[in-house]
């Protein structure tokens, strides 16, 4: 059914964008198809200039890390990929697992557990990489698994609880009642510790 004049079906637009993103983040054995999907998603995001109808929705990607639920705003995400081949960097900070080649671009892979100085609690199955970036830099964030896309209301975000005390507290924008922590990815990307210099002699 066509939209009425001067009206926009925001729910339908969001559903279509989420469907395209779900297809993009799904594991794929066809790198050409995956790249085409990611390029289409980037095009859709570049067209999305207007805020959500109520102005409070934050579209994000939810993922699991060591049994905890985190979210990153979709506007910061460039791609997701399985963790397969990477090269360790022995001169890098402890939270940098190494580097990998993403379609001709070399990016570092960051373990947020170490960046947040969290203790290692049991076994973890870090098998996905979420590539995040802005105009300043780009790197991959490790995740145990990707839950999917969702919209979080800014009004539902609560101050970080006492259990988030420490370095992690600085980089969490808020936590929902269901204990989903929305990361302040802009602040993480701007942190000077994320700039890794390697001297080659």
């Amino acid at each position: 059914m066509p939209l009425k004049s001067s009206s926009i079906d925001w729910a339908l637009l969001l559903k279509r964008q989420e469907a395209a993103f779900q297809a993009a983040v799904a594991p794929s054995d066809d790198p050409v198809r995956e790249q085409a999907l990611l390029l289409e998603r980037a095009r859709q995001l570049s067209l999305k200039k207007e805020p959500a109808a109520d102005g409070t929705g934050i579209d994000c990607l939810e993922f699991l890390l060591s049994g905890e639920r985190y979210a990153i705003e979709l506007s910061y995400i460039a791609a997701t990929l399985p963790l397969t081949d990477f090269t360790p960097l022995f001169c890098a900070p402890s939270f940098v697992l190494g580097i990998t080649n993403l379609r001709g671009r070399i990016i570092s892979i960051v373990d947020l557990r170490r960046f947040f100085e969290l203790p290692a609690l049991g076994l973890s199955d870090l098998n996905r990489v979420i590539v995040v970036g802005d105009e300043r830099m780009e790197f991959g964030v490790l995740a145990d698994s990707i839950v999917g896309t969702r919209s979080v209301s800014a009004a539902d975000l609560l101050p970080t609880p006492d259990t988030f005390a420490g370095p992690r507290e600085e980089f969490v924008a808020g936590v929902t009642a269901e204990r989903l922590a929305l990361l302040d990815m802009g602040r993480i990307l701007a942190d000077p510790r994320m700039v890794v210099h390697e001297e080659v002699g």
Side-chain angles (χ1 to χ4, degrees):
M1 176 182 295
L3 296 175
K4 295 180 180 179
S5 61
S6 72
S7 67
I8 299 176
D9 190 337
W10 289 103
L12 179 60
L13 179 61
L14 179 59
K15 180 179 285 187
R16 287 178 177 171
Q17 289 177 339
E18 287 181 353
F21 186 80
Q22 288 286 7
V25 300
S28 173
D29 295 327
D30 186 350
V32 175
R33 177 177 175 274
E34 181 180 355
Q35 184 173 11
L37 288 169
L38 291 172
L39 287 173
E40 173 60 18
R41 178 192 161 272
R43 187 186 72 81
Q44 291 290 338
L45 286 176
S46 69
L47 295 175
K48 186 181 178 185
K49 301 298 184 183
E50 298 294 331
D54 60 3
T56 61
I58 303 171
D59 297 329
C60 56
L61 179 71
E62 179 182 347
F63 65 98
L64 299 179
L65 182 63
S66 294
E68 295 187 315
R69 299 164 58 207
Y70 292 92
I72 297 174
E73 287 186 58
L74 290 184
S75 59
Y76 288 107
I77 299 176
T80 67
L81 59 151
L83 177 61
T84 54
D85 191 26
F86 66 92
T87 302
L89 285 181
F90 301 104
C91 60
S94 62
F95 58 81
V96 177
L97 182 68
I99 56 174
T100 190
N101 188 317
L102 176 63
R103 292 185 284 275
R105 305 194 312 275
I106 302 300
I107 63 168
S108 57
I109 302 174
V110 171
D111 186 344
L112 287 179
R113 299 171 307 171
R114 295 182 180 181
F115 181 71
F116 293 150
E117 299 177 13
L118 298 175
L121 300 175
L123 297 176
S124 183
D125 185 21
L126 297 169
N127 58 14
R128 299 293 293 178
V129 177
I130 305 169
V131 181
V132 298
D134 59 11
E135 68 280 358
R136 294 165 293 191
M137 67 163 42
E138 181 180 55
F139 55 80
V141 172
L142 288 174
D144 290 321
S145 63
I146 294 173
V147 177
T149 57
R150 62 176 294 173
S151 182
V152 176
S153 171
D156 292 338
L157 290 177
L158 307 172
T160 54
D162 293 340
T163 54
F164 279 73
R168 179 172 53 166
E169 182 179 13
E170 177 185 354
F171 301 102
V172 174
V175 180
T176 68
E178 297 81 21
R179 295 191 60 81
L180 173 70
L182 178 64
L183 296 177
D184 187 342
M185 190 51 62
R187 179 168 290 193
I188 294 175
L189 286 161
D191 192 284
R193 290 174 292 172
M194 289 298 178
V195 180
V196 178
H197 298 282
E198 181 178 10
E199 298 293 335
V200 180

